[in-house]
């Protein structure tokens, strides 16, 4: 079985993020890391392989990322957790790509790779759109099992069974392979790369792919090919300094007065 | 006038609050056209609410099966309808389900998509509040039928009585991933977190005792939220987590009790209209965004506030 995991490189979630004068995310101003939520997808891939006879049984895990040069750092992290290989789609023309372009590029790469199972995170911590997996599913006409809090692969039956966990409750779902599964962060506890894993990752292959390799014209993606246009942006007005009281026995009542003044009660 | 499509989310015909918000917004742009997927009885239950919020017309995508699939069948039917009726724009709620459908629609219609908008002008310029509320972005879709998801609670619903023309379109539910069984979540009496007007949240400072949080929420008629420290400890269900890996909320009032205000928590609540904080530590970063902050013990302050609110209500 060939598992492909989509991972995105994002600014560290502890860092302040800002837009650059070119109206795109200023990716140089913050440390770049593997999207926290994608670590769960990498971990789940490792667990699926382990539960099905391991690498000896011929299962492989490939990471796929579209992003700038630095996306390699995120890929190395995934490799050091235990993935076997990585594909890095990197092309100057991709800068400023929107969700339409991103999903198209990733879908084309997936088509080339022909995995049996595609795992993704639920959302990126930078743009937070939470749409790329369903867009890939729509493009490739593959079943999408979203919000998976549990994933079981039945290789002999050629199907994947998940528990979809949302506010509405828990739904048992199944679909034939190949399929796309989006995992939630409750699914597992991602492992820390071991020293051995980090050393091994240095030797694992990261294959570079350009738009030409995927048969996509440069003017169809990036800022120029985008379906949407950022007109302008501004820092949100800072919240005015509020009232701060130290409780000396009556702050609860002062709070009620404040709420009443604001007509919140 | 051009048709502004509104995707109506509902549970067995009980219309989600987001529909009233989207219909209100749609009326400021053109004619509000409500689209609802489900059965005739779902439609019957929904019509009075859709009329109350000024829908000019309603289409039922009729299928007993359609809601058994999370999103693809609805997206196919909705895309066909938008094309045949010449929709000017399609509005959906920025919820898990709304976004799944929106992503698929954008692909099928080869249209641009904007998610989590908090405002939209009649010229279809949207405002997004990004990076945890620190930056406002104005953007516009330049190709296709714009697909835009609107953050719950961003628009104040305004009634406008009407009587919508109704049509029913039978649709096939094309199912690729199937649901084999279902355990619906037990719904308490409190409002749904992402829709709630008032939220009272507890963090590690509760030390596992959410009673004062729940009592204050109930006195205010609000929902209960939690920080990740509280959900990770198993003190409160994950579905109540607010923040980067939980819900993004923007209620009229957010009360944070025993929560320090880590950047990942703020990312989910910073756009709340009024923020109240109760925390023992005067240096806690959450005070930076508080409109009203109390340096104190939540176990003393919250019950006193609850009692005060109850006394006022009589
Ligand atoms: C603040 C901000 C707002 C934006 N708003 C919009 C908008 O409204 N409309 C629009 O079209 N574009 C928008 N963009 C551009 C958008 O971020 C990119 O197109 C992005 O690639 C897709 O969205 P996402 O990161 O939100 O992914 P999500 O849909 O949140 O990601 C879900 C999962 O998909 C996978 N994935 C996502 N991106 C990649 C990747 N590059 N490589 C590998 N796997 C990936 C990961 O597994 C991830 O966990 C915005 C960008 C920013 C910074
Ligand atoms: C990738 C990632 C994603 C994350 N996503 C989220 C998310 O979605 N949501 C989220 O909340 N966090 C998230 N976090 C975690 C976040 O970084 C913080 O660890 C978390 O928010 C802390 O929760 P807390 O404020 O309840 O706990 P703490 O930071 O421990 O704060 C507890 C506060 O309670 C106060 N306190 C203690 N006792 C009392 C008392 N009796 N009365 C009043 N005050 C008291 C203390 O002074 C302190 O300020 C995420 C982290 C990462 C790395």
């Amino acid at each position: 079985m060939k598992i492909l995991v989509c991972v995105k490189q994002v600014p560290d979630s502890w860092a302040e993020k800002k837009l650059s004068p070119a109206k795109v995310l200023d990716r140089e101003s913050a440390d770049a890391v593997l999207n926290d939520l994608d670590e769960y997808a990498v971990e789940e891939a490792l667990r699926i392989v382990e539960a099905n006879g391991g690498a000896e049984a011929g299962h492989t895990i490939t990471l796929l990322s579209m992003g700038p040069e630095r996306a390699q750092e995120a890929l190395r992290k995934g490799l050091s957790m235990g993935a076997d290989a990585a594909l890095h789609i990197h092309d100057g023309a991709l800068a400023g790509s929107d969700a339409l372009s991103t999903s198209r590029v990733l879908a084309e790469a997936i088509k080339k790779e022909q995995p049996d199972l595609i795992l993704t995170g639920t959302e990126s911590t930078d743009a937070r759109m939470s749409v790329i997996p369903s867009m890939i599913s729509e493009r490739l006409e593959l079943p999408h099992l979203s919000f998976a809090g549990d994933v079981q692969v039945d290789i002999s039956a050629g199907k994947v069974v998940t528990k979809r966990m949302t506010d509405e409750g828990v739904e048992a779902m199944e679909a034939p392979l190949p399929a796309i599964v989006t995992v939630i962060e409750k699914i597992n506890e991602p492992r820390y790369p071991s020293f051995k894993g980090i050393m091994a990752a240095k030797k694992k292959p990261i294959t570079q792919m350009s738009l030409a390799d995927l048969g996509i014209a440069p003017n169809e993606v990036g800022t120029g090919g985008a379906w949407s246009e950022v007109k302008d942006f501004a820092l949100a007005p800072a919240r005015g300094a509020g009232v701060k009281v130290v409780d000396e026995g009556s702050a609860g009542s002062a709070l009620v007065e404040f709420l009443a003044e604001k007509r919140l009660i | 006038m051009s048709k502004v499509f509104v995707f109506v989310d509902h549970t067995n015909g009980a219309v989600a609050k987001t529909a009233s918000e989207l219909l209100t917004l749609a009326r400021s742009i053109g004619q509000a056209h409500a689209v609802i997927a489900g059965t005739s009885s779902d439609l019957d239950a929904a019509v009075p609410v859709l009329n109350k919020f000024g829908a000019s017309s309603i289409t039922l995508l009729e299928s007993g099966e359609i809601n058994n699939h999370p999103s693809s069948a609805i997206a196919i039917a909705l895309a066909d309808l938008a094309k045949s009726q010449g929709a000017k724009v399609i509005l959906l709620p920025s919820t898990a389900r709304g976004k799944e459908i929106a992503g698929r629609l954008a692909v099928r219609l080869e249209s641009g998509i904007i998610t989590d908008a908090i405002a939209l002008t009649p010229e279809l310029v949207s405002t997004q509040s990004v990076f945890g509320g620190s930056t406002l972005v104005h953007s516009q879709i330049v190709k296709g039928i714009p697909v835009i998801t609107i953050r719950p609670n961003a628009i104040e619903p305004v009634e406008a009585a009407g009587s919508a023309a109704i049509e029913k379109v039978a649709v096939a539910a094309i199912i690729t991933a199937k649901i084999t069984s279902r355990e619906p979540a037990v719904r308490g009496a409190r409002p749904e977190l992402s829709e709630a007007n008032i939220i009272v949240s507890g963090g590690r400072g509760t030390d596992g005792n959410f009673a004062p949080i729940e009592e204050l929420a109930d006195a205010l008629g609000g929902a209960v939220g939690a920080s990740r420290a509280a959900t990770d400890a198993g003190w409160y269900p994950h579905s109540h987590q607010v923040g980067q890996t939980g819900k993004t909320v923007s209620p009229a009032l957010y009360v944070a009790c025993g929560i320090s205000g880590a950047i990942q928590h703020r990312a989910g609540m910073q756009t709340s209209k009024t923020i109240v904080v109760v925390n023992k530590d005067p240096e806690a970063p959450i005070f930076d965004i508080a409109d009203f902050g109390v340096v104190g013990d939540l176990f003393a302050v919250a019950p006193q506030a609850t009692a005060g609110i109850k006394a006022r209500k009589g």
Side-chain angles (χ1 to χ4, degrees), chain A residues 6-8 38 66 97-99 121 124 127 129-132, chain B residues 113 128:
Chain A
C6 295
V7 299
K8 187 179 182 187
D38 297 347
M66 167 185 137
S97 286
D98 63 3
S124 71
M129 291 184 71
S130 209
V131 294
I132 295 296
Chain B
I113 175 170
Q128 284 166 297

Side-chain angles (χ1 to χ4, degrees), chain B residues 40-272:
Chain B
S40 282
S41 66
D42 294 338
L43 176 71
D44 293 343
V47 164
V49 182
L50 303 180
N51 276 336
K52 191 160 107 186
F53 287 96
S56 302
S57 45
I58 303 172
T59 299
L60 171 71
L61 301 173
E62 191 170 10
S63 159
E65 277 276 325
I66 203 158
N67 290 310
N68 286 332
H69 189 276
S71 68
S72 66
I74 292 176
I76 295 170
L78 191 51
D80 289 347
L81 191 73
K83 267 193 271 189
S84 67
Q85 302 209 350
K88 175 179 175 167
V89 51
I90 307 173
L91 306 179
L92 302 98
S94 245
T95 54
R97 177 177 156 91
K99 284 186 176 189
E100 276 187 20
I101 298 171
R104 292 174 180 279
L105 270 178
V107 168
R108 288 197 87 81
L109 294 169
E110 281 194 71
S111 296
I113 175 170
I114 287 174
T115 54
D116 279 306
I118 55 168
L120 187 64
T121 69
E123 294 73 38
L124 303 183
V125 175
S126 69
T127 307
Q128 284 166 297
S129 161
V130 305
F131 308 147
S134 66
T135 308
L136 293 173
V137 181
H138 294 119
S139 30
Q140 199 166 22
I141 288 171
V142 293
K143 287 189 244 177
I145 302 173
V147 176
I148 302 178
T149 74
I150 308 288
R151 187 174 283 179
N153 269 332
I155 311 285
E156 184 70 42
V158 178
E159 292 182 13
S163 164
I166 298 174
E167 69 163 348
K168 297 183 184 181
V169 180
V171 296
I174 302 154
I175 287 164
T176 48
K178 70 169 186 251
I179 293 171
T180 51
S181 72
R182 205 177 232 146
E183 262 173 67
V186 205
R187 276 272 156 76
R190 297 191 186 99
E192 173 65 41
L193 189 60
S194 49
E195 292 185 348
N197 227 4
I198 296 183
I199 296 173
V200 182
S201 285
R204 201 190 310 273
T206 62
D207 203 18
N209 178 3
F210 263 66
I213 309 297
E214 291 184 330
E215 285 157 13
L216 182 55
D218 289 343
L220 289 163
V224 175
S227 73
R228 180 155 166 187
T231 60
D232 275 355
W235 298 339
Y236 228 70
H238 174 66
S239 55
H240 291 257
Q241 183 176 315
V242 171
Q244 189 178 286
T245 44
K247 297 270 153 56
T248 302
V249 297
S250 43
L253 171 65
Y254 188 90
V255 185
C257 302
I259 294 177
S260 62
I263 196 163
Q264 296 91 351
H265 187 79
R266 295 206 308 255
M269 46 68 72
Q270 202 150 19
T271 55
S272 304

Side-chain angles (χ1 to χ4, degrees), chain A residues 13-19 25-26 36-37 40 98-100 103 123 125-131 133-139 141-147 163-164 166-176 184-186 220 224-237 239-260 262 264-265, chain B residues 70 72 75-76 96-97 99-100 103-104 106-108 110-116 125 131 133-143 176-185 187 192 198 220 228 231-232 238-239 241 243-248 252-253 262-264 266-268 270-276 278 282 287-297 300-301 304-305 308-309 312:
Chain A
S13 69
W14 295 95
E16 296 289 342
K17 293 178 267 283
K18 57 181 206 269
L19 291 173
L25 177 60
D26 183 352
D36 304 294
L37 294 166
Y40 298 88
D98 63 3
L100 272 298
S103 62
E123 83 177 19
T125 57
D126 55 357
R128 306 191 63 188
M129 291 184 71
S130 209
V131 294
S134 44
M135 292 176 86
I136 295 174
S137 150
E138 195 67 33
R139 287 187 186 281
E141 297 187 1
L142 290 179
H144 178 210
L145 300 100
S146 55
F147 299 101
K163 286 206 176 83
R164 181 173 194 265
T166 66
D167 285 352
E168 281 131 58
V170 179
E171 293 159 327
M173 295 197 69
E174 64 173 61
I184 58 171
E185 38 113 17
K186 287 274 129 169
E220 292 170 3
W227 275 256
S228 47
E229 188 179 281
V230 175
K231 298 182 87 71
D232 56 61
F233 67 91
L235 288 182
R239 295 189 82 98
V243 185
K244 193 166 169 184
V245 299
V246 177
D247 184 29
E248 280 161 357
S250 62
S253 307
L255 170 52
V256 177
E257 289 305 320
F258 170 81
L259 296 178
K262 286 262 177 184
L264 287 162
I265 44 174
Chain B
S72 66
I76 295 170
R97 177 177 156 91
K99 284 186 176 189
E100 276 187 20
R104 292 174 180 279
V107 168
R108 288 197 87 81
E110 281 194 71
S111 296
I113 175 170
I114 287 174
T115 54
D116 279 306
V125 175
F131 308 147
S134 66
T135 308
L136 293 173
V137 181
H138 294 119
S139 30
Q140 199 166 22
I141 288 171
V142 293
K143 287 189 244 177
T176 48
K178 70 169 186 251
I179 293 171
T180 51
S181 72
R182 205 177 232 146
E183 262 173 67
R187 276 272 156 76
E192 173 65 41
I198 296 183
L220 289 163
R228 180 155 166 187
T231 60
D232 275 355
H238 174 66
S239 55
Q241 183 176 315
Q244 189 178 286
T245 44
K247 297 270 153 56
T248 302
L253 171 65
I263 196 163
Q264 296 91 351
R266 295 206 308 255
Q270 202 150 19
T271 55
S272 304
K273 273 137 223 132
T274 299
I275 296 175
V276 168
V278 182
F287 281 113
D288 296 348
I289 56 168
D291 297 294
F292 190 88
V294 177
V295 181
D297 185 350
V301 178
Q304 190 177 63
I309 294 162
R312 257 175 194 269

